[in-house]
Amino acid sequence: MSINFTRKIIPLICAVTLCAAAAVAAEQESSESTESERNSITVIDLKHEYDLNPHTANYSSEAQILTGLYEGLFSYDPYTLEPVPALAESYKLSRNKLRWTFTLRENAAFSDGTPITAQTVKDSWITLLAPETHAPFASLLDCIEGAYEYRTGAAAAGSVAITVHDERTLSVALTAPAEHLNRILCHHAFAAVSPEPGIYSGAFVLDSYADDTLELVKNPQYWDAENVKLDAITVRQSDDTTENTYAFNIGKADWIASNADIASVIDKTAIRLSAEFATEYLFFKADRFPWNQAAFRNALLTAVPWEQLRAQALVPAETFIYPVSGYEMPAGLNDYFPDEAKLMLTRAKAEAGLQEADGVSVTLAVSDSPYMLSMAELLKTAWERIGVTVDVRKTPANRYLQSISGWNADLFVYTWIGDFADPLAFLELFRTGSTMGESAWSNAEYDTLLDSASKKTDYERFALLSRAEDVLLSDGVVIPISHPVALNVIDTAAIGGWYTNALDIHPLKYLFKQTTEPYVPNLVRADTLR
């Protein structure tokens, strides 16, 4: 791949004559001036086909792009991740906390100039909830009266308690208090979406998407356009860590999201490693015998060689939820006792009416990455030792997530990043009827604990959520592996508005370029020679 690197690499004086050096410096300054006038940045991200429909997008990389293209009533503060008013100018809660009323900004508009009204927001949410949309995050609105019934096909759209009072005023009636509602509404799924394609509600619009490159340009109709500093953002998709790192080192990329060779990054201060509010885990699709029974699942869990399974993890996970301040974690999963696992399997068979000689098999579905295949082989070996036949099936990594819902398998691998910094962001995955998970597991005690927690605050709420997590772990539904670590390569002295945070989400509207000297060690600028 040929790369033009006149932007930041300065010729060594010893390699050129003074005239040549001056010419090169002048050419570089011209290139830098043109780039500065455009006021754009280039981002390198993972290579896969983006779903840029905010209602159906499910990848974290898509969520990052969608922070620029769409906006809802609230958005994330780039530093604290606290919800800040976006399309909503203000909001208020009723005394019993069962009604939220939102007032929209008077100048809120789509990229084509069409006003964004209270009806726009209602229509967007009704489309999200529609059964035919199959929206992965729709169940997060189940706290609104009638939302669950509508999205499950048991009632009409008119039963959803979203009321438009006038062009700028919207209210929702809740089934129970939901203090976290404004945090949920930061998510792209709840953005204002035009019925017309190619129309955007965020700070940028998508100018083009071709050849693994997205071009975003500033949206002049955006309500806060005067505070959006970048004119354009180029997002290149590439899995070539060597080329990605080279592009960053020579100034052809400003930010690499995850796919970089950190050993080759020249400016080590640009490497950002941070634990995410996320968990990598396996889960059972508990919809068929015998893996719909906790006794069989727990027999497998007791035979898991936990230390080996988590050996490559920088942050091993024994519980499902990443530690949150004030949240007391339940006892984790770390018991490895193969002999006991055999006895547990024998008892499980007897309770289910099976004979000791009756075979038990489990189908483990993974992607074709070396890491996943190695994990599958480890579990296959461990479980076959206790008498369980293991069938490992694989599919290309870029098709794995989409394959889960229709795959006739029992056990899958998933990495979940919380959409707001609260245990409920994880626990909602396993609530009965949730659109966010694929487990088909249902537990009345678990659901009751989540419902009870919604009526409490602070310590009492966290205590109930912790009990719910304990039910999930005790029922053998999940096998926690690690809390992933996010890797970003970005010079925050050159790009402002970017902060390390637990969700690894960086709203594009806040990014801006800062004047800074390029970091090129042991080189001398030609224009400093006298």
Side-chain angles (χ1 to χ4, degrees):
M1 180 177 180
S2 175
I3 296 181
N4 180 342
F5 53 100
T6 59
R7 183 174 161 205
K8 281 192 179 178
I9 296 297
I10 313 300
L12 292 174
I13 295 172
C14 62
V16 293
T17 64
L18 290 180
C19 287
V24 171
E27 179 182 353
Q28 177 183 337
E29 287 172 2
S30 174
S31 174
E32 289 177 343
S33 175
T34 301
E35 186 69 23
S36 176
E37 289 172 5
R38 185 168 182 248
N39 195 22
S40 68
I41 65 171
T42 296
V43 182
I44 299 179
D45 200 1
L46 297 168
K47 187 173 182 177
H48 73 91
E49 186 68 25
Y50 283 143
D51 176 3
L52 295 179
N53 178 347
H55 288 157
T56 57
N58 204 13
Y59 281 93
S60 58
S61 53
E62 295 163 349
Q64 181 60 71
I65 302 300
L66 291 170
T67 66
L69 296 178
Y70 293 94
E71 191 167 85
L73 299 180
F74 298 88
S75 63
Y76 298 105
D77 179 279
Y79 182 68
T80 67
L81 295 178
E82 288 296 307
V84 295
L87 294 179
E89 183 178 73
S90 63
Y91 71 100
K92 61 183 179 180
L93 276 67
S94 62
R95 184 173 179 275
N96 62 5
K97 300 183 180 179
L98 292 178
R99 182 175 296 276
W100 288 57
T101 301
F102 309 95
T103 301
L104 274 64
R105 297 181 186 277
E106 190 171 2
N107 61 337
F110 284 112
S111 55
D112 65 348
T114 302
I116 296 175
T117 65
Q119 187 65 48
T120 305
V121 176
K122 177 177 180 176
D123 292 345
S124 298
W125 291 359
I126 293 297
T127 300
L128 173 79
L129 290 168
E132 63 271 19
T133 303
H134 302 292
F137 298 99
S139 63
L140 285 175
L141 289 186
D142 282 358
C143 56
I144 299 177
E145 288 182 6
Y148 173 80
E149 290 77 11
Y150 173 54
R151 72 171 181 81
T152 57
S159 66
V160 183
I162 304 173
T163 303
V164 173
H165 300 280
D166 55 47
E167 284 200 349
R168 296 179 56 205
T169 311
L170 173 86
S171 67
V172 296
L174 307 183
T175 58
E179 290 191 350
H180 57 283
L181 181 59
N182 56 348
R183 296 178 182 275
I184 289 176
L185 296 180
C186 293
H187 194 274
H188 61 257
F190 312 108
V193 180
S194 170
E196 300 298 324
I199 306 299
Y200 304 94
S201 55
F204 295 88
V205 302
L206 181 63
D207 187 53
S208 65
Y209 183 9
D211 301 322
D212 298 323
T213 301
L214 294 84
E215 297 287 350
L216 279 61
V217 297
K218 184 174 176 178
N219 174 11
Q221 300 293 336
Y222 178 59
W223 67 269
D224 197 27
E226 65 180 270
N227 290 314
V228 178
K229 303 305 180 186
L230 292 177
D231 296 322
I233 300 174
T234 298
V235 181
R236 287 174 37 216
Q237 297 174 298
S238 169
D239 291 334
D240 189 330
T241 58
T242 301
E243 287 289 347
N244 296 348
T245 308
Y246 181 61
F248 180 81
N249 285 338
I250 66 172
K252 302 302 285 187
D254 302 285
W255 168 20
I256 306 175
S258 76
N259 261 8
D261 175 12
I262 59 176
S264 300
V265 175
I266 294 174
D267 181 5
K268 300 301 183 187
T269 65
I271 299 172
R272 310 283 166 171
L273 289 171
S274 60
E276 288 186 275
F277 188 55
T279 303
E280 176 194 24
Y281 62 99
L282 293 104
F283 71 91
F284 284 93
K285 188 182 281 189
D287 59 353
R288 62 179 181 174
F289 182 81
W291 308 114
N292 58 354
Q293 299 189 16
F296 284 93
R297 296 194 298 264
N298 279 316
L300 284 195
L301 266 63
T302 306
V304 171
W306 296 103
E307 287 191 12
Q308 289 176 266
L309 181 67
R310 298 165 177 155
Q312 297 185 49
L314 292 176
V315 186
E318 294 186 1
T319 57
F320 182 51
I321 298 172
Y322 186 85
V324 174
S325 177
Y327 179 77
E328 185 175 349
M329 293 187 296
L333 297 175
N334 52 29
D335 288 337
Y336 173 51
F337 197 170
D339 290 340
E340 176 64 20
K342 286 182 181 180
L343 294 174
M344 292 172 67
L345 185 61
T346 298
R347 290 195 294 269
K349 287 181 178 181
E351 291 171 3
L354 300 179
Q355 300 298 314
E356 174 61 26
D358 290 337
V360 174
S361 64
V362 63
T363 301
L364 172 57
V366 297
S367 75
D368 60 358
S369 72
Y371 168 71
M372 290 292 183
L373 293 175
S374 174
M375 177 197 302
E377 188 58 36
L378 174 70
L379 294 174
K380 176 181 172 70
T381 300
W383 290 338
E384 288 185 342
R385 285 175 182 164
I386 67 169
V388 176
T389 300
V390 181
D391 178 19
V392 177
R393 298 180 186 174
K394 62 182 180 180
T395 194
N398 63 353
R399 296 212 310 262
Y400 183 75
L401 286 182
Q402 295 92 327
S403 301
I404 290 177
S405 60
W407 208 336
N408 190 26
D410 305 301
L411 201 57
F412 298 86
V413 186
Y414 214 74
T415 296
W416 183 257
I417 303 175
D419 299 299
F420 50 100
D422 188 274
L424 196 62
F426 287 82
L427 298 175
E428 280 284 352
L429 282 165
F430 292 93
R431 187 197 289 267
T432 300
S434 172
T435 56
M436 297 162 61
E438 299 280 359
S439 73
W441 176 76
S442 179
N443 184 288
E445 181 185 3
Y446 181 87
D447 293 342
T448 299
L449 286 166
L450 295 189
D451 290 340
S452 299
S454 70
K455 301 177 178 66
K456 304 293 182 180
T457 59
D458 303 329
Y459 174 78
E460 288 181 290
R461 177 174 177 272
F462 271 8
L464 290 168
L465 294 179
S466 179
R467 285 174 57 191
E469 183 184 4
D470 186 62
V471 170
L472 181 69
L473 296 173
S474 298
D475 226 36
V477 184
V478 296
I479 301 176
I481 303 169
S482 71
H483 297 302
V485 172
L487 165 64
N488 290 278
V489 181
I490 183 169
D491 180 3
T492 54
I495 306 298
W498 192 104
Y499 305 94
T500 298
N501 61 57
L503 300 187
D504 194 30
I505 196 83
H506 310 280
L508 299 181
K509 69 171 283 185
Y510 295 105
L511 301 182
F512 61 93
K513 296 178 76 170
Q514 304 184 94
T515 302
T516 181
E517 285 296 313
Y519 182 88
V520 185
N522 301 321
L523 297 182
V524 180
R525 284 186 63 96
D527 58 4
T528 62
L529 185 66
R530 295 291 185 268

